[in-house]
Amino acid sequence: MATSSIAVRELPLFPLPEVVLFPGRPLPLHIFEFRYRIMMNTILEEDRRFGVLMVDPATGEIAKVGSCAEVVRCQRLPDDRLKILTIGQQRFRVLEYVREKPYRVGLVEWIEDVPTTQELRPLAKEVDRLLRDVVHLSAKLTAQKIELPDDLPSLPLELSYWVAGNLYGVAGEQQALLEMLDTVSRLQRESEILTSTRNHLAARTALKDALNQ
């Protein structure tokens, strides 16, 4: 287990069905439940941070590993509802729940990837290439303009978070990627996912081209 040297702290927790937040990724939220309006009003007066944990909708189980979210923008709506924009910060592991009401507060420890001496850039470049192949094939298949952002991360760790955060409909896979404490393993798994997706899209594109001839 790799943990940072920062001390354990208490953190308000926001469990969300099938939502996995990664460091550096944005997460907009509409806050309407009374208990979470209380939580937001509290943290907005403090350090504007809370923890996001994925809830498995099938079992109701709350993940033990999540990411801290920092509120960077807040809009108050009628009836005390709020629209907020958050950005993912450090990952954490819940050690225990301190209290459940009016909202969950956990004692958490920060976690980070284990340092490695392995050169990560070749693997990151491979993931980048596969990602661009998937985007190209998706655009061709749907006849839509799909582009990657100009600020796509180039550093291996940040790229691994970006790719994981942009997978859709696979919250369980995302949670597994979030819990990995090894950048190499995360990039390797993303390479496998992107390769499978690319091959699937390539087959569909070839079939579409054949039918259009």
Side-chain angles (χ1 to χ4, degrees):
M1 297 288 182
T3 62
S4 72
S5 59
I6 302 174
V8 168
R9 65 162 282 180
E10 289 188 8
L11 190 67
L13 300 173
F14 197 161
L16 287 167
E18 295 189 286
V19 173
V20 182
L21 177 63
F22 286 85
R25 303 306 306 145
L27 177 64
L29 292 170
H30 178 199
I31 309 298
F32 54 89
E33 282 191 58
F34 180 65
R35 56 181 168 169
Y36 293 122
R37 297 203 311 259
I38 294 175
M39 184 176 86
M40 290 303 158
N41 285 322
T42 300
I43 67 165
L44 286 170
E45 294 177 358
E46 297 176 355
D47 66 356
R48 303 173 74 92
R49 296 183 178 219
F50 62 98
V52 173
L53 292 168
M54 192 269 280
V55 181
D56 186 330
T59 64
E61 184 178 353
I62 302 174
K64 295 293 187 183
V65 173
S67 287
C68 181
E70 181 177 5
V71 178
V72 294
R73 193 181 308 151
C74 177
Q75 177 187 4
R76 294 189 180 274
L77 302 173
D79 305 322
D80 291 327
R81 292 176 295 122
L82 301 111
K83 279 189 175 180
I84 64 172
L85 175 63
T86 73
I87 298 293
Q89 304 290 344
Q90 309 101 304
R91 291 177 297 158
F92 64 85
R93 180 183 295 105
V94 178
L95 300 176
E96 62 179 280
Y97 289 117
V98 177
R99 65 174 186 268
E100 301 280 340
K101 296 181 179 181
Y103 51 83
R104 289 177 184 268
V105 175
L107 191 66
V108 308
E109 63 177 353
W110 305 120
I111 59 175
E112 57 189 21
D113 281 1
V114 176
T116 179
T117 57
Q118 182 173 337
E119 177 52 59
L120 297 176
R121 291 189 182 275
L123 184 54
K125 286 182 178 179
E126 173 70 6
V127 168
D128 182 281
R129 182 182 65 80
L130 288 166
L131 179 63
R132 293 179 189 280
D133 286 349
V134 166
V135 168
H136 172 73
L137 288 167
S138 297
K140 185 176 180 181
L141 190 63
T142 60
Q144 295 179 345
K145 187 176 182 181
I146 306 174
E147 294 181 345
L148 289 169
D150 293 334
D151 61 350
L152 182 70
S154 59
L155 294 176
L157 176 61
E158 284 75 10
L159 178 64
S160 77
Y161 289 151
W162 192 97
V163 172
N166 281 278
L167 298 175
Y168 293 102
V170 287
E173 185 75 71
Q174 287 184 302
Q175 183 65 33
L177 290 167
L178 183 73
E179 293 181 11
M180 287 182 179
L181 298 179
D182 179 354
T183 312
V184 173
S185 296
R186 191 179 303 109
L187 287 170
Q188 286 175 338
R189 179 59 188 143
E190 289 166 352
S191 176
E192 293 171 0
I193 294 169
L194 290 170
T195 296
S196 177
T197 303
R198 181 193 61 182
N199 293 345
H200 176 70
L201 290 172
R204 290 181 59 192
T205 302
L207 178 60
K208 180 182 178 182
D209 290 344
L211 292 174
N212 289 336
Q213 287 180 358

